[in-house]
Amino acid sequence: MRFYHVHVTLFKLKSFIDCKFCCLDRTLGGNANWKAKRGDQKTQKGATILQTRAFGLSAFRLKSTDDLSSSNGFNEEGEDEDFLEDSEVEELFQQQIPAGIGEGQHRVFIIHPDVKWGSRKQHLTTAELMMAEAEGLVNTLENWTVVDKMILSTKTPEKKRIFGKGNFQTLTERIRQTAGITAVFVNVERLSPLSEREFEEVWGVKVFDRYSVVLHIFRCNARTKEAKLQISLAEIPLLRSRLKNEMANLDQQGGGSRYIGGSGETLYEIQQRLLKEREIKIRLALEKLRKKRHLLRSQRKHREFPVVSVLGYTNCGKTTLIKALTGDTGLQPRNQLFATLDVTVHAGQLPSHMTVLYVDTIGFLSQLPHQLIDSFSATLEDIKHSDLLIHVRDISHPETANQKVNVLNVLKNLQIPDRLMNSMIEVHNKTDLITNYESAEPAALPISALEGRGLEQLKEAVEEEILKATGKQILDLTVNLSSPQLSWLYKEATVQDVQVNADEGSAVVKVIIGTAAHGRYKKLFGSR
């Protein structure tokens, strides 16, 4: 009996994967003679599992690699074009969802490992506050409910089971005795594939860490092409972990490491190669968007609009503050973790009538792996190119000190220039939630973005720092009213005051003007 041969290449895997490995099932399990020759009683079982279970890696489609290698973001005439169409981004985004994350509702048991000593011990927070944040993450998700929670001490968080034998047994009994649990959230940055598989085998439910939960929140809030691409990129390490676990399970049942016909590759190698191809495609698309973002920044600089990045821990009130500073009614702040994933820019005026651009950035969170931050590097890169940073703190939050440390650590890892770190304005927001609030940090500005308190003082501080950072000058310029000088200044600079001398047909104009604009003015109209 002739064997079935499935010749798989990266160029022709679309139909193979769309069939949910049916073709592979026929190859491994459909030929009785092949099974007899192998003498492997577990092969059919392994092949059936491949066909029926949600393989941890959802089926996805890739365009031909020929298309990938021939496209560098420009067409033949060298004109700029989109690397991926919206439909392609949506396809990548929807078809590559880590198994178990987005499957309807979850009834969640939260376990927080409380490290008592060592390098992983938290010194600026408590286990109770970390548990409260974990609950907040779960409650952010629609149809996810916390049904029980437990703080458990550990001396060995680096071990496979995290906890000692006795505590792990106690935890397992508690989980098994709690009815209706569909998932366990272990409140650590990342679980190793080995730990995740071990927990799922013992507890019989899906197991998530902070990385997977936060990624799912990101996925639920993604709106733009760039956010969806960044999330798809950040999910790849998670998919690789799931793939290892699925393959380990199949190996145990005799069907996981088979070679696929004449390709000379195992199923695991094929899946790894597909993930690598997908990662390359996403990175190329993000690089394309990065270049567009750079162009937009250049245009802002050309028009000499100062850029102020507003940043802080998630849900600290950044969007509410920008709405209050700009009067932008289109902004709809939400009392939700990670409500903002995309950088948005909003124009506002300072007391001198100078226009500045406020950039709303993604919120930060403690215990996020570098891989997740790296995926959003294109978005966070805007912070580096700002003229000024405003660090917003929810001063009413019990973890406000710890949140500040986490934000500063992220900025340090992003290698934000010293000039920006040294001039950063710290804002204590939500003072309306504290009776008779008095700041213990004299340099910080107390405000309530919701009630509009302290905003004028903040605008004055922003204006002072912007003048220092941009090198803008405050000048009195004499203009001829019969020439276009005055209208040019209104367009290219910030006009603060105009004193007209009707007899001479001139005016003295007080302006805030940048060095480049002043140079253009002198070239056009002389040095007056």
Side-chain angles (χ1 to χ4, degrees), residues 53-58 96-108 141 143-144 182-184 196 200 205-209 212-213 216 219 235 238-239 242 246:
R53 75 194 280 192
F55 192 67
L57 192 64
S58 306
Q96 194 69 359
I97 303 174
I101 295 285
E103 298 171 359
Q105 60 184 6
H106 271 304
R107 291 170 54 80
V108 183
L141 291 164
N143 298 325
W144 283 43
T182 63
V184 173
E196 185 179 321
E200 290 184 351
V205 295
K206 291 300 300 180
V207 175
F208 303 129
D209 52 24
S212 53
V213 170
H216 187 48
R219 173 170 278 276
E235 284 173 341
L238 192 61
L239 291 163
R242 299 287 167 84
E246 293 293 342

Coordinates of all heavy atoms in Angstrom, one line a residue, residues 53-58 96-108 141 143-144 182-184 196 200 205-209 212-213 216 219 235 238-239 242 246:
R53 N -9.0 18.7 18.7 CA -8.9 19.6 19.7 C -8.4 21.0 19.2 O -7.9 21.1 18.1 CB -8.0 19.1 20.9 CG -6.6 19.0 20.6 CD -5.9 18.2 21.7 NE -5.7 18.9 22.9 CZ -4.9 18.4 23.9 NH1 -4.4 17.2 23.8 NH2 -4.8 19.1 25.0
A54 N -8.7 22.0 20.0 CA -8.4 23.4 19.6 C -6.9 23.5 19.8 O -6.4 24.0 20.8 CB -9.1 24.4 20.4
F55 N -6.1 23.3 18.9 CA -4.7 23.0 18.9 C -3.9 24.0 19.6 O -2.7 23.9 19.7 CB -4.2 22.8 17.5 CG -2.9 22.2 17.4 CD1 -2.6 20.9 17.7 CD2 -1.8 23.0 16.9 CE1 -1.4 20.4 17.6 CE2 -0.6 22.5 16.8 CZ -0.4 21.1 17.2
G56 N -4.5 25.0 20.2 CA -3.7 26.0 20.9 C -3.2 27.1 20.0 O -2.8 28.2 20.4
L57 N -3.2 26.7 18.7 CA -2.7 27.7 17.7 C -3.8 27.7 16.6 O -4.0 26.8 15.9 CB -1.4 27.1 17.1 CG -0.6 28.1 16.2 CD1 -0.1 29.3 17.0 CD2 0.5 27.4 15.5
S58 N -4.6 28.7 16.7 CA -5.8 28.8 15.7 C -5.3 28.8 14.3 O -4.2 29.3 14.0 CB -6.6 30.1 16.0 OG -6.9 30.1 17.3
Q96 N -5.7 34.5 14.9 CA -4.5 34.0 15.7 C -4.8 34.3 17.2 O -4.0 35.0 17.8 CB -3.2 34.7 15.2 CG -2.0 34.0 15.7 CD -1.7 32.6 15.1 OE1 -2.5 32.1 14.4 NE2 -0.6 32.0 15.5
I97 N -5.9 33.9 17.7 CA -6.2 34.1 19.1 C -5.7 33.0 20.0 O -6.1 31.8 19.7 CB -7.7 34.3 19.3 CG1 -8.2 35.5 18.4 CG2 -8.1 34.6 20.7 CD1 -9.7 35.6 18.4
P98 N -4.9 33.2 21.0 CA -4.5 32.1 21.8 C -5.6 31.3 22.4 O -6.6 31.9 22.9 CB -3.7 32.8 22.9 CG -3.2 34.1 22.3 CD -4.3 34.5 21.3
A99 N -5.6 30.0 22.4 CA -6.7 29.2 22.8 C -7.0 29.5 24.2 O -6.2 29.6 25.1 CB -6.3 27.7 22.6
G100 N -8.3 29.5 24.5 CA -8.8 29.6 25.9 C -9.0 31.0 26.4 O -9.7 31.2 27.4
I101 N -8.4 32.0 25.7 CA -8.5 33.4 26.2 C -9.9 34.0 25.8 O -10.6 34.5 26.7 CB -7.4 34.2 25.5 CG1 -6.0 33.7 26.0 CG2 -7.5 35.7 25.9 CD1 -5.7 34.1 27.4
G102 N -10.2 34.0 24.6 CA -11.4 34.7 24.2 C -12.6 33.8 24.0 O -13.5 34.2 23.3
E103 N -12.7 32.7 24.7 CA -13.8 31.8 24.5 C -14.9 32.1 25.5 O -15.0 31.4 26.5 CB -13.3 30.3 24.6 CG -12.2 30.0 23.6 CD -11.6 28.6 23.8 OE1 -11.9 28.0 24.9 OE2 -10.7 28.3 23.0
G104 N -15.7 33.1 25.2 CA -16.9 33.4 26.0 C -16.5 33.8 27.4 O -15.6 34.6 27.6
Q105 N -17.3 33.4 28.4 CA -17.1 33.9 29.7 C -16.2 32.9 30.5 O -16.1 31.8 30.2 CB -18.5 34.0 30.4 CG -19.3 32.7 30.5 CD -20.7 32.9 31.1 OE1 -21.1 34.1 31.3 NE2 -21.4 31.8 31.3
H106 N -15.6 33.5 31.6 CA -14.8 32.7 32.5 C -15.2 33.0 33.9 O -15.4 34.1 34.3 CB -13.3 33.0 32.2 CG -12.7 32.1 31.2 ND1 -12.7 30.8 31.2 CD2 -12.0 32.5 30.0 CE1 -12.1 30.3 30.2 NE2 -11.6 31.3 29.4
R107 N -15.2 31.9 34.7 CA -15.4 32.0 36.1 C -14.0 31.7 36.7 O -13.5 30.6 36.6 CB -16.4 31.1 36.7 CG -17.8 31.5 36.2 CD -18.8 30.4 36.5 NE -18.8 29.9 37.9 CZ -19.4 30.6 38.9 NH1 -20.1 31.7 38.7 NH2 -19.3 30.1 40.2
V108 N -13.4 32.8 37.3 CA -11.9 32.7 37.5 C -11.6 32.6 39.0 O -12.2 33.3 39.9 CB -11.3 34.0 37.0 CG1 -9.7 34.0 37.2 CG2 -11.6 34.2 35.5
L141 N -12.7 42.7 32.1 CA -13.2 41.9 31.0 C -14.6 41.5 31.1 O -15.1 41.1 32.1 CB -12.3 40.6 30.9 CG -10.9 40.8 30.5 CD1 -10.0 39.6 30.8 CD2 -10.8 41.2 29.0
N143 N -17.9 39.5 30.9 CA -18.3 38.1 31.1 C -17.2 37.3 31.9 O -17.3 36.1 31.9 CB -18.6 37.4 29.7 CG -19.7 38.0 29.0 OD1 -20.7 38.5 29.7 ND2 -19.7 38.1 27.7
W144 N -16.2 38.0 32.4 CA -15.3 37.3 33.3 C -15.6 37.7 34.7 O -15.9 38.8 35.1 CB -13.8 37.7 33.0 CG -13.2 37.1 31.8 CD1 -13.8 37.0 30.6 CD2 -11.9 36.6 31.6 NE1 -13.0 36.4 29.7 CE2 -11.8 36.2 30.3 CE3 -10.8 36.5 32.5 CZ2 -10.6 35.6 29.8 CZ3 -9.7 36.0 32.0 CH2 -9.5 35.5 30.7
T182 N -13.7 27.9 35.7 CA -13.3 27.5 34.3 C -11.9 28.0 34.0 O -11.4 27.6 33.0 CB -14.3 28.2 33.3 OG1 -14.2 29.6 33.4 CG2 -15.7 27.8 33.5
A183 N -11.3 28.8 34.9 CA -9.9 29.2 34.7 C -9.3 29.6 36.0 O -10.0 30.0 37.0 CB -9.9 30.4 33.7
V184 N -8.0 29.5 36.1 CA -7.2 30.0 37.2 C -6.2 31.0 36.7 O -5.5 30.8 35.7 CB -6.4 28.8 37.9 CG1 -5.5 29.3 38.9 CG2 -7.4 27.8 38.5
E196 N 2.7 26.0 33.1 CA 1.4 26.1 32.6 C 0.8 24.8 32.3 O -0.4 24.5 32.7 CB 1.3 27.0 31.3 CG 0.0 27.3 30.8 CD 0.0 28.1 29.6 OE1 0.8 29.1 29.5 OE2 -0.8 27.9 28.6
E200 N -2.4 23.0 34.4 CA -3.6 22.6 33.7 C -3.9 21.1 33.8 O -5.1 20.7 33.9 CB -3.5 23.0 32.2 CG -3.6 24.5 32.0 CD -3.6 25.0 30.5 OE1 -3.4 24.1 29.7 OE2 -3.8 26.2 30.3
V205 N -8.4 22.9 34.3 CA -9.0 24.1 33.7 C -7.9 24.9 33.1 O -6.7 24.7 33.2 CB -9.7 25.0 34.8 CG1 -10.9 24.3 35.4 CG2 -8.7 25.4 35.9
K206 N -8.3 25.9 32.3 CA -7.3 26.8 31.7 C -6.6 27.6 32.7 O -7.2 28.0 33.7 CB -8.0 27.8 30.7 CG -8.5 27.1 29.4 CD -7.4 26.4 28.6 CE -6.3 27.4 28.1 NZ -5.3 26.6 27.3
V207 N -5.3 27.9 32.5 CA -4.5 28.7 33.4 C -3.9 29.9 32.7 O -3.3 29.8 31.6 CB -3.3 27.8 34.0 CG1 -2.4 28.6 34.9 CG2 -3.9 26.6 34.8
F208 N -4.0 31.1 33.3 CA -3.6 32.3 32.7 C -2.6 33.0 33.7 O -2.6 32.8 34.9 CB -4.7 33.3 32.5 CG -5.8 32.7 31.6 CD1 -7.1 32.8 32.0 CD2 -5.5 32.2 30.4 CE1 -8.1 32.3 31.1 CE2 -6.5 31.7 29.5 CZ -7.8 31.7 29.9
D209 N -1.7 33.8 33.1 CA -0.8 34.7 33.9 C -1.1 36.1 33.5 O -2.0 36.4 32.7 CB 0.7 34.3 33.6 CG 1.0 34.3 32.2 OD1 0.3 35.0 31.3 OD2 2.0 33.6 31.8
S212 N -1.0 37.0 29.7 CA -2.1 36.5 28.8 C -3.4 37.3 29.2 O -4.2 37.7 28.2 CB -2.4 35.0 29.0 OG -2.5 34.7 30.4
V213 N -3.6 37.7 30.4 CA -4.8 38.4 30.8 C -4.8 39.8 30.2 O -5.7 40.3 29.6 CB -5.0 38.4 32.3 CG1 -6.1 39.4 32.7 CG2 -5.4 37.0 32.8
H216 N -5.3 39.9 26.6 CA -6.7 39.8 26.2 C -7.5 41.1 26.4 O -8.3 41.5 25.6 CB -7.4 38.7 27.0 CG -8.8 38.4 26.6 ND1 -9.1 38.2 25.3 CD2 -9.9 38.3 27.3 CE1 -10.4 38.0 25.2 NE2 -11.0 38.0 26.4
R219 N -6.6 43.2 23.5 CA -7.3 42.7 22.3 C -8.8 43.2 22.3 O -9.3 43.6 21.3 CB -7.3 41.2 22.3 CG -8.2 40.5 21.2 CD -7.9 39.0 21.1 NE -6.8 38.8 20.3 CZ -6.8 38.7 19.0 NH1 -7.9 38.9 18.3 NH2 -5.6 38.4 18.3
E235 N 1.3 38.6 21.0 CA 0.7 37.2 21.3 C 1.6 36.1 20.8 O 1.4 34.9 21.2 CB -0.7 37.1 20.6 CG -1.7 37.9 21.3 CD -3.1 38.0 20.6 OE1 -3.1 37.7 19.4 OE2 -4.1 38.2 21.2
L238 N 3.2 34.0 23.4 CA 2.2 33.2 24.1 C 1.8 32.0 23.2 O 1.7 30.8 23.7 CB 1.0 34.0 24.4 CG -0.1 33.5 25.3 CD1 0.5 33.2 26.7 CD2 -1.3 34.5 25.4
L239 N 1.7 32.2 21.9 CA 1.3 31.1 21.0 C 2.4 30.0 21.0 O 2.2 28.8 20.9 CB 1.1 31.7 19.6 CG -0.2 32.5 19.5 CD1 -0.2 33.3 18.3 CD2 -1.4 31.6 19.5
R242 N 2.1 27.9 24.0 CA 1.0 27.0 23.9 C 1.3 25.9 22.9 O 0.9 24.7 23.1 CB -0.3 27.7 23.4 CG -0.7 28.8 24.3 CD -1.4 28.3 25.6 NE -1.6 29.3 26.6 CZ -2.6 30.1 26.7 NH1 -3.5 30.1 25.7 NH2 -2.7 31.0 27.6
E246 N 1.1 21.8 23.6 CA 0.2 20.9 22.8 C 1.1 19.8 22.3 O 0.7 18.7 22.2 CB -0.4 21.7 21.7 CG -1.5 22.7 22.2 CD -2.7 22.0 22.8 OE1 -2.9 20.8 22.6 OE2 -3.5 22.7 23.5

